[in-house]
Amino acid sequence: MSPSGAPRRVRAYGGHFLLLAVLTLVTALLITAVPRVADRLTAQGLREYVAAQPVARRDLTYTTEPTVLPRTASRIAAGRAAELATVEARMPPAVRRTVGERWYSAQTGFSRLTGPTLSTGKGLIDLSLRTMTGLPEAATLVDGRWPAEGLGAGDAIEVALAETVAGPLGIRAGSTFDLSILDQDDKPVRQRTVALVGVFRPADPKAGIWDALPSLLRLAAPEGDGEPFLSVGYTSAAGFDAAATSGWPVSFAWRYRVAPDRISPGQLTALVDGLAALERTRPAGLTLTQGVDIPLRRFAESLAAARTLLAVIAAGLLATLAGLILLAARLAARRRQGEYALLRARGGATGTVLGRGLAESLLVLPLAAGVGWLLGGLLPGDGVELRWVLLATLLATLVTPVTALTAGRGGGGRSDLVGGRSPAVRLTAEVTVLAVALLGAFLLRRRGLTLDGTVDPLLVSVPVLLAVAAALVALRAYPWPLRLLSRAAARARGSVAFLGTARAGRAAATGPLIVVVLAVATAAFCGVVAAGIENGRDRAAVRAVPGDVLVEGERFAPDTTDALAALPGVRAVTPLLVETGQRPYADQAGRFGGVGETRVLLVDTARFAEVARRAGVPVTVPDPLRATGAGTAPLPALVSPALADEFTDAGLADPAGRRPAWLDVQGNRLPVRTAATVGEFPLVDRDVTRFVVLPWPALPADAPHPIVPTGFLLAGDRVDPAAVARVVAEGQERYQRAGALTGGERPREAVVTTRSAVRAELGGSGVNGLLVFGFAIGGIGGGVLGLLALAFAVLAGARGRGQVLSRLRTMGLSRRQWRGLLLVELTPLVLVSVLTGAVVGALLPVLLTPVLGLPAFTGGVAVRARFEPGLVAGVLGLAVLAFAFAVAVEAVNNRRMRLGEVLRLGEES
């Protein structure tokens, strides 16, 4: 009984201890590796997400208002350049640590540029002079030299232009111009000579230094007819000072770019709080412009939901591994039950049995846990605290002596009766587990998701408790239908069906069945949630682009629709009209109706439905919107709930159309009535709560203005977005040439968006890598561990089945009948465990979806947890695989046993 015999006993039962060691190693590896991989994927996703943001959401820009400085001022540009470090020093530390590049710039207001090489055919040109840090180092001269730092009184201000600006203007280094400030009558009030001394080319046009607006690299188009082109030239600090002291209004800017590689997930909360405090630390006289906090808040919301989801998956896997370790220890203890009974019979106390088991565990399990911890530490990322690995090692080490103690105290009697009277302790425990699971689910739904960045113990424990409770209910329920089948089989010919159903109804695989349900529920949960997220992203993409290509812009010529339809690959086109900020009127005269600003969307319902059908998207046009009529009759409208309430309060847009609301659409007053209330509609952003959707009206001949589209929706295969952009740009130009916008501002450039691009953006950035990792380990790990638990369920009754088989074989049972008996006995166990786990895994997302924050992964679209047909096929495939695995385990186990061994008196299963 000395502990020195522990190595000998470990060698004697090497298979059992090897299984325990592998399970402990996997547990330690999971505890160590999952946080490290998750940290690496989160950091990578955060860097990619921030880097993909537009410039306005990566820069912190401090600016001054344009002002005219006194003529006696000196060292203006150099003096304000020193504030680049001063402004940064006043930032909160969390923000200051993330700043990568920084630039200072000073520029004059735009003024008219004239000269002999600028003919009138080139249009009017306005030039702004800018000096900034780092520009000569970021560009290469292609002609001339850089502006000199020294400048005498009355000398020409030296300027360098980008090649992309000087080329279109047809000017070269050596040209001289006049720079004039004009009054309201376009008469010069101030004038300086400007000399173009150099032309440069950027070393990297995508570098951050060139993102300052107005751009140094482009000749900005006029904002309207008769307006000048806008250009920016680089000058030295001396040249800027000369312009500033000559009466030119000047402004200054300090721009700081957040570096994606300087942001870590651990400092995300502090960074968001620091950005919120920037306005309070802003130096007096400066204006702060920044949008960095917007994407960071969205990422933090997605990260909190992803971490919660990963914690739920990891909890399911760890609970399954804990159950497997317990099952392995129990199986080893049952094989050594005679040894422990003999030890107690010879006077061994409880401490002796515990010490014997502990000595054996200490030789194997801590070493296995250490190997798992070391293997997990090889992965990149920040790992979990060592205390969790130590805690898991301690629990795994104590399992073996505790199960040895219970095995040594095991009594006789049959252990294969489930339906008999249960002990009060077991019944009380089952009722307690069920009550705690239901109470936890209720409290979780009432409280919701916590977003403090920590793991919620209630959220990760409730799914495990619900799976255990469902397994206990299944254990109580499934013997009863088997007994009915057994009675029916007793009246039939043959003994195989009767014996198989009778033994299946008495099988007592409580522990293994619970572990199988846990494992399968974890895998099914991952599959259902992943399918729900993918479906939600598809619906979000369809809501944004309910076709294949969406065009958004200003007014287009009516024949643009036909021009788009003629493009290769286009199968259907529908025009769209979007008007924002419209206030419904109480009458045609334009009397205010008491209703706030509304977004108006006009669709050609027939063409819209055709585009959706050709694109294969699940979009339907409500029947009330299909009604058509003249513009003088109230148009049926789909109205958002918030707007419908305002219409009701104002007494407008009643369903009967007796008192319609009037909307101004491109100068036409259209009467509308409420035909239906809808919470959402394609092409309407989810954050827009007040909108109205109208059918494209047939205006009367005396209508003041024709209605023209402001966008298009296309369906087609391999439609070229560049060709679409070219056609719609020509459509805008044709509308302008028609005279509708003569003398007005130039319309904004049309935006072409494809549904595939929207879908790729939703699924290809942020925490998507973390989600894929979580679903992969949950699905694969749950399936593998479920099969292993099923092997324990088979082995738990293997010796009893072997005894029955041996007795029946001596009575003439054929090998074919034995196979049939095995199939009948194992089928209920496999089906009940796999199907119960699948049902629990499918219902858990329905229960937890409101508290998991899944819309953070789908662009705000609600995630609908559904058991997709593919998942049903997966569950059926898993059941078939599990059944084949169970039969294989039973066959291998039977080959290892001999007839005489299993029939020896006193052997227990």
Side-chain angles (χ1 to χ4, degrees):
M1 298 183 185
S2 173
S4 60
R8 176 178 52 81
R9 294 191 296 272
V10 169
R11 287 196 302 269
Y13 296 96
H16 297 300
F17 283 102
L18 177 61
L19 179 59
L20 283 170
V22 171
L23 291 174
T24 304
L25 185 150
V26 172
T27 302
L29 179 62
L30 183 67
I31 294 175
T32 307
V34 168
R36 297 181 72 88
V37 175
D39 178 78
R40 180 180 64 82
L41 293 175
T42 301
Q44 178 182 348
L46 178 59
R47 290 193 299 268
E48 294 175 353
Y49 181 75
V50 174
Q53 297 300 313
V55 172
R57 294 188 176 179
R58 285 187 290 159
D59 287 354
L60 310 172
T61 305
Y62 294 84
T63 57
T64 65
E65 294 294 330
T67 183
V68 177
L69 300 178
R71 295 182 178 273
T72 56
S74 62
R75 294 184 52 82
I76 302 171
R80 301 305 294 266
E83 297 182 28
L84 188 65
T86 304
V87 174
E88 183 178 355
R90 299 190 60 171
M91 296 180 183
V95 179
R96 191 167 57 247
R97 285 193 295 266
T98 63
V99 173
E101 298 177 282
R102 54 193 61 79
W103 303 277
Y104 158 75
S105 64
Q107 71 179 36
T108 67
F110 283 98
S111 48
R112 187 60 44 82
L113 185 69
T114 56
T117 58
L118 292 176
S119 62
T120 56
K122 297 177 182 178
L124 302 177
I125 307 296
D126 277 4
L127 176 69
S128 172
L129 303 178
R130 178 184 299 172
T131 182
M132 63 186 307
T133 56
L135 189 143
E137 294 78 12
T140 302
L141 284 171
V142 295
D143 188 15
R145 59 176 176 82
W146 293 110
E149 290 298 331
L151 188 67
D155 291 346
I157 299 175
E158 297 183 348
V159 177
L161 292 178
E163 185 181 29
T164 51
V165 175
L169 294 179
I171 55 179
R172 301 182 60 182
S175 303
T176 304
F177 310 94
D178 289 331
L179 190 64
S180 307
I181 298 179
L182 306 180
D183 59 13
Q184 296 180 352
D185 298 327
D186 290 340
K187 302 290 184 155
V189 294
R190 293 182 182 86
Q191 193 171 68
R192 284 294 303 254
T193 301
V194 174
L196 179 61
V197 297
V199 177
F200 63 87
R201 177 186 301 151
D204 180 11
K206 296 182 179 179
I209 193 173
W210 309 111
D211 291 330
L213 296 178
S215 175
L216 279 160
L217 304 181
R218 290 187 300 272
L219 189 65
E223 297 180 355
D225 292 347
E227 297 294 325
F229 288 89
L230 303 179
S231 61
V232 179
Y234 171 75
T235 187
S236 62
F240 175 84
D241 290 350
T245 55
S246 299
W248 261 256
V250 294
S251 61
F252 305 90
W254 299 263
R255 187 161 58 95
Y256 307 86
R257 173 151 298 179
V258 173
D261 56 349
R262 294 196 177 190
I263 305 177
S264 65
Q267 69 183 76
L268 198 57
T269 301
L271 179 57
V272 172
D273 294 339
L275 291 171
L278 275 180
E279 188 65 31
R280 296 193 298 269
T281 61
R282 171 179 55 85
L286 301 186
T287 301
L288 171 64
T289 304
Q290 69 91 14
V292 182
D293 60 328
I294 297 176
L296 292 183
R297 290 180 189 276
R298 292 177 180 173
F299 187 88
E301 180 183 354
S302 301
L303 180 59
R307 283 176 170 171
T308 300
L309 197 59
L310 185 61
V312 172
I313 296 171
L317 293 178
L318 289 175
T320 304
L321 284 168
L324 288 174
I325 292 175
L326 180 60
L327 291 178
R330 283 180 59 186
L331 183 62
R334 291 175 71 180
R335 291 289 187 266
R336 302 171 63 183
Q337 188 173 2
E339 175 189 342
Y340 296 136
L342 181 61
L343 183 64
R344 296 297 295 267
R346 291 178 176 177
T350 300
T352 304
V353 178
L354 288 176
R356 186 185 185 95
L358 186 60
E360 297 168 357
S361 295
L362 288 175
L363 289 176
V364 178
L365 301 188
L367 178 61
V371 173
W373 177 68
L374 291 176
L375 290 177
L378 297 177
L379 298 173
D382 293 333
V384 72
E385 297 181 14
L386 183 60
R387 57 175 179 168
W388 298 113
V389 179
L390 296 177
L391 178 61
T393 305
L394 176 63
L395 294 177
T397 304
L398 294 177
V399 165
T400 300
V402 172
T403 53
L405 183 63
T406 58
R409 291 181 176 178
R414 297 178 62 177
S415 60
D416 62 340
L417 297 179
V418 175
R421 186 181 301 273
S422 298
V425 175
R426 174 178 172 179
L427 183 60
T428 302
E430 292 178 356
V431 173
T432 302
V433 170
L434 184 60
V436 171
L438 295 177
L439 179 62
F442 172 75
L443 294 177
L444 187 61
R445 286 182 66 91
R446 289 200 61 178
R447 192 199 60 185
L449 176 65
T450 58
L451 296 176
D452 57 357
T454 60
V455 176
D456 187 353
L458 180 62
L459 182 58
V460 300
S461 60
V462 165
V464 175
L465 290 173
L466 288 174
V468 173
L472 294 175
V473 172
L475 273 171
R476 288 287 180 177
Y478 98 96
W480 298 102
L482 288 178
R483 290 180 181 179
L484 296 178
L485 290 176
S486 179
R487 292 175 184 175
R491 294 191 294 268
R493 297 183 60 184
S495 60
V496 173
F498 168 70
L499 292 175
T501 53
R503 284 189 52 79
R506 295 197 303 267
T510 303
L513 181 63
I514 293 176
V515 179
V516 174
V517 170
L518 261 174
V520 176
T522 302
F525 172 81
C526 294
V528 172
V529 174
I533 291 176
E534 290 299 306
N535 181 265
R537 288 172 173 172
D538 291 339
R539 289 186 290 112
V542 168
R543 180 170 182 174
V545 184
D548 292 315
V549 181
L550 174 67
V551 177
E552 298 174 285
E554 296 188 11
R555 303 183 186 188
F556 301 91
D559 60 352
T560 309
T561 304
D562 297 332
L564 288 172
L567 287 176
V570 176
R571 293 182 294 180
V573 182
T574 181
L576 305 171
L577 193 156
V578 179
E579 294 276 354
T580 59
Q582 294 296 317
R583 287 186 175 273
Y585 301 127
D587 51 35
Q588 192 173 7
R591 184 168 55 88
F592 178 59
V595 180
E597 293 185 350
T598 303
R599 174 169 294 188
V600 180
L601 170 64
L602 271 68
V603 296
D604 187 327
T605 54
R607 291 186 175 183
F608 186 82
E610 177 67 12
V611 168
R613 185 184 68 82
R614 291 294 188 104
V617 297
V619 174
T620 58
V621 179
D623 291 336
L625 202 63
R626 294 179 181 272
T628 59
T632 56
L635 295 173
L638 301 181
V639 181
S640 64
L643 185 59
D645 293 340
E646 293 190 26
F647 277 151
T648 301
D649 295 339
L652 298 176
D654 60 293
R658 287 187 291 269
R659 192 181 178 193
W662 293 80
L663 293 171
D664 191 326
V665 178
Q666 294 183 350
N668 300 283
R669 297 284 167 84
L670 303 180
V672 299
R673 60 179 178 84
T674 301
T677 301
V678 294
E680 60 181 29
F681 193 81
L683 300 172
V684 179
D685 296 337
R686 63 182 180 88
D687 55 347
V688 177
T689 59
R690 306 169 73 259
F691 63 87
V692 56
V693 183
L694 301 172
W696 201 279
L699 296 181
D702 58 348
H705 304 285
I707 289 183
V708 296
T710 61
F712 301 93
L713 189 64
L714 291 75
D717 295 326
R718 295 182 295 274
V719 179
D720 185 7
V724 173
R726 174 180 52 79
V727 170
V728 296
E730 294 172 354
Q732 279 188 329
E733 293 179 2
R734 287 197 301 274
Y735 184 79
Q736 287 182 275
R737 288 198 299 268
L741 290 179
T742 300
E745 296 183 356
R746 291 178 59 87
R748 61 184 175 91
E749 184 178 353
V751 178
V752 179
T753 307
T754 63
R755 178 161 49 90
S756 60
V758 175
R759 181 62 180 83
E761 182 181 359
L762 287 171
S765 62
V767 298
N768 192 67
L770 185 60
L771 287 179
V772 173
F773 169 69
F775 292 145
I777 64 170
I780 298 174
V784 172
L785 296 180
L787 293 177
L788 186 57
L790 190 61
F792 279 109
V794 173
L795 293 175
R799 185 166 294 274
R801 280 191 299 271
Q803 292 175 347
V804 173
L805 171 63
S806 299
R807 295 189 181 104
L808 293 176
R809 291 292 296 274
T810 60
M811 292 187 292
L813 185 72
S814 66
R815 188 175 297 274
R816 179 178 181 182
Q817 288 176 316
W818 167 74
R819 292 195 186 98
L821 178 61
L822 183 62
L823 292 177
V824 174
E825 183 177 344
L826 293 182
T827 297
L829 173 66
V830 173
L831 291 181
V832 168
S833 57
V834 173
L835 294 183
T836 302
V839 171
V840 172
L843 293 180
L844 279 177
V846 178
L847 174 67
L848 299 180
T849 292
V851 298
L852 287 178
L854 298 182
F857 311 130
T858 60
V861 174
V863 175
R864 302 169 185 170
R866 295 185 300 180
F867 215 55
E868 301 289 342
L871 296 178
V872 175
V875 170
L876 294 179
L878 179 61
V880 173
L881 180 62
F883 184 76
F885 184 71
V887 172
V889 170
E890 179 70 13
V892 172
N893 186 69
N894 285 339
R895 287 191 185 127
R896 294 181 63 248
M897 295 189 300
R898 297 188 218 174
L899 182 62
E901 288 182 350
V902 298
L903 288 179
R904 281 187 299 174
L905 186 63
E907 290 289 347
E908 296 291 338
S909 62

